[in-house]
Amino acid sequence: MESRLRVNFPPDPNPRKLRFVPPPGTCDTHFHVYGPPHLFPYVEERLYTPPAAPIEHWFLVAKAVGIERGILVQPNVHGFAPAVTLDAVARSDGRLRGMIRADPTLTTDDVKALHGKGVRGIRFNFARHLGGKFDADRFRRIVGTVAPQGWPVDLHIDADLIEERAELIRWVPVPVVIDHFGRVDGRLGVDQPAFRVLLDLVGEGNVYVKISGADRLMARGTPYDNVVALARALIARAPDRIVWGTDWPHSNVFEPNKTPNDGDLMNMMLDFAPDEAVRHKILVDNPARLFGFA
């Protein structure tokens, strides 16, 4: 497959200095681990080929930017096999929880076993640029399989699908987490229809939104002031249901000198949530409640 020959640039190993001290228990709710591929091979049908980004590297970056906990989101390049995720969680001394991909072959017994190994969520990819396709029947079936364990259901979903599938999102009997500002077009600001639907959903009690991927928005032409306005609107609507993540190691970067710096990403929280108590909710309290940290 030709597309898998696209090679990502590696993450920036030198986070810039923080302008504030993140509170104890700060959680990165969205990062990935890649390989190393001689231990955890990449699948042949992948859409890109990332450099190795093992869990040891994330631990170093996390220490540099004040992150103590994390949610390791299973990447597409490892397929549905959760070995890379389970290995990292097992070696984290309780600092990590795992989020696996929505494998349609999962059984109730599989989910119970994975729960015992630290998995606390399942992710659906409905983003078209990654080959995602929305299958409502499959979605309902998998949600029904994981719901008894109370796992959050994570959606990597295009903004127009949030509009189209709002009622189905409301149906989900466990918390729903929507990635990366709902993948809205940040250039259109806070009054665009897709963002208004996202605000409605996050205000209704069962939906969380990750204010992650700010660099993705800006790479698509969104002014930083617009990103801040989107974040503040979401936080104002539901400060108890907003979480944050780095998206490390930034696998969407295919050009030199475009990789975001994780210190810069953390510093954005000062603009997103100027109030220290609100930042504490977003960085500590909300993810602890959502993903079961003590």
Side-chain angles (χ1 to χ4, degrees), residues 196-271:
R196 303 309 302 181
V197 171
L198 187 62
L199 283 176
D200 287 343
L201 288 169
V202 78
E204 291 173 10
N206 199 46
V207 174
Y208 290 69
V209 176
K210 293 177 189 173
I211 50 172
S212 56
D215 58 293
R216 294 172 178 249
L217 289 169
M218 291 188 288
R220 296 194 292 268
T222 301
Y224 181 61
D225 286 349
N226 281 34
V227 178
V228 172
L230 294 172
R232 290 189 178 184
L234 288 164
I235 292 167
R237 186 74 172 96
D240 294 325
R241 288 184 297 281
I242 305 300
V243 294
W244 173 87
T246 60
D247 197 26
W248 187 91
H250 313 292
S251 58
N252 55 305
V253 178
F254 296 95
E255 299 177 49
N257 304 314
K258 298 291 186 181
T259 304
N261 184 281
D262 290 287
D264 291 344
L265 293 176
M266 176 63 89
N267 280 329
M268 289 178 186
M269 281 300 299
L270 288 174
D271 296 324

Side-chain angles (χ1 to χ4, degrees), residues 105-148:
T105 69
L106 279 175
T107 67
T108 301
D109 287 342
D110 292 333
V111 172
K112 288 179 180 177
L114 289 164
H115 189 89
K117 295 178 180 179
V119 175
R120 291 296 185 275
I122 194 159
R123 190 189 196 211
F124 291 84
N125 170 40
F126 298 132
R128 296 183 185 91
H129 74 288
L130 292 175
K133 296 180 181 179
F134 197 97
D135 184 326
D137 291 336
R138 175 180 288 187
F139 178 73
R140 290 189 183 94
R141 184 171 67 253
I142 297 174
V143 169
T145 301
V146 305

Side-chain angles (χ1 to χ4, degrees), residues 27 32 46:
C27 185
H32 309 288
R46 64 190 181 275

Side-chain angles (χ1 to χ4, degrees), residues 13-46:
N14 299 302
R16 277 186 269 276
K17 185 177 180 180
L18 297 187
R19 294 186 282 114
F20 73 106
V21 178
T26 287
C27 185
D28 177 356
T29 68
H30 192 104
F31 78 95
H32 309 288
V33 163
Y34 297 114
H38 70 284
L39 297 176
F40 305 104
Y42 301 158
V43 294
E44 281 298 314
E45 61 272 20
R46 64 190 181 275

